[in-house]
Amino acid sequence: MPQPAAAENRGDGRNIVLIGPMGSGKSTVGAALARRLHRPHVDTDQFFVARHGPIPAYFSLHGEDAFRAEEEKIVAELIDSPRPSVISLGGGSVLSRRTRELLAEQLVVLLDLTVAQATQRLGDGSTRPILGSDPVQSWVRIYAEREQIYRDCADIVMSPDDEHIAVRVDTIVRALNTTFRRDHSA
């Protein structure tokens, strides 16, 4: 049984924010990581749905620009919460300059994945309005457009090789311990 790690009892007050492309497991890994770290978990997409209803319906009615503006507000609100949390962002959240500025003050983990993994996880893409009628090809294009932004925001990059949730959580906790020590030894 693993011993409690320094990152699990962090006192630095920063959120741990999971970013990455659609299908990378941000919600699933975020929930497991939060349990491990004894922190709340919040998912910006779930928060959006609770406030505004289903994302595809909102997208259809108001368009992507309105969706992104509301998403940016939700991200800012959740990051500003007084209790450090694990926050799973929607795949396009990093497109906002304001969100990227806020992320600079957090511990950011990029969950990467391969096209083959994305293909398995996306299904028909019907719950992801930005994917359109060819989900895989759209995902490949969107990921290519966003990959450098994800990497620029990330303090820790999770390899797609670590697919199992428990392995990802263990790897993130080890990386957080290293990052925490490095950040506070200067």
Side-chain angles (χ1 to χ4, degrees):
M1 176 183 268
Q3 294 294 317
E8 293 180 62
N9 299 307
R10 314 179 62 82
D12 67 357
R14 292 186 285 177
N15 295 296
I16 299 165
V17 183
L18 304 183
I19 64 170
M22 292 173 275
S24 61
K26 299 176 297 288
S27 300
T28 305
V29 172
L33 181 62
R35 282 190 302 275
R36 173 84 175 268
L37 300 178
H38 308 288
R39 287 182 175 214
H41 174 247
V42 288
D43 182 297
T44 59
D45 285 348
Q46 290 175 359
F47 203 88
F48 186 97
V49 168
R51 187 174 281 176
H52 298 288
I55 292 172
Y58 189 93
F59 227 84
S60 177
L61 188 60
H62 301 286
E64 184 174 358
D65 290 343
F67 170 76
R68 295 290 174 211
E70 287 302 309
E71 180 181 55
E72 180 182 279
K73 289 177 192 174
I74 288 170
V75 170
E77 184 180 331
L78 295 176
I79 283 176
D80 193 41
S81 174
R83 185 166 178 211
S85 302
V86 174
I87 304 171
S88 300
L89 297 191
S93 295
V94 297
L95 297 174
S96 159
R97 182 182 54 78
R98 171 83 173 112
T99 295
R100 291 191 306 271
E101 290 169 357
L102 292 171
L103 291 178
E105 302 299 319
Q106 311 306 311
L107 289 167
V108 181
V109 179
L110 166 59
L111 299 182
D112 208 357
L113 78 161
T114 66
V115 175
Q117 290 166 333
T119 300
Q120 287 180 319
R121 296 176 187 176
L122 294 176
D124 68 2
S126 61
T127 61
R128 301 169 191 267
I130 199 166
L131 292 180
S133 62
D134 188 351
V136 174
Q137 192 56 39
S138 294
W139 185 92
V140 168
R141 178 187 49 77
I142 290 166
Y143 183 66
E145 293 168 357
R146 297 177 183 173
E147 181 179 12
Q148 193 57 54
I149 298 170
Y150 292 135
R151 293 185 184 285
D152 290 345
C153 290
D155 298 302
I156 299 164
V157 177
M158 287 294 308
S159 165
D161 297 335
D162 298 327
E163 266 195 279
H164 193 273
I165 295 166
V167 172
R168 284 192 153 205
V169 169
D170 288 345
T171 303
I172 292 168
V173 169
R174 280 194 306 276
L176 290 172
N177 287 331
T178 302
T179 301
F180 182 72
R181 283 194 298 273
R182 185 179 65 237
D183 289 351
H184 288 85
S185 65

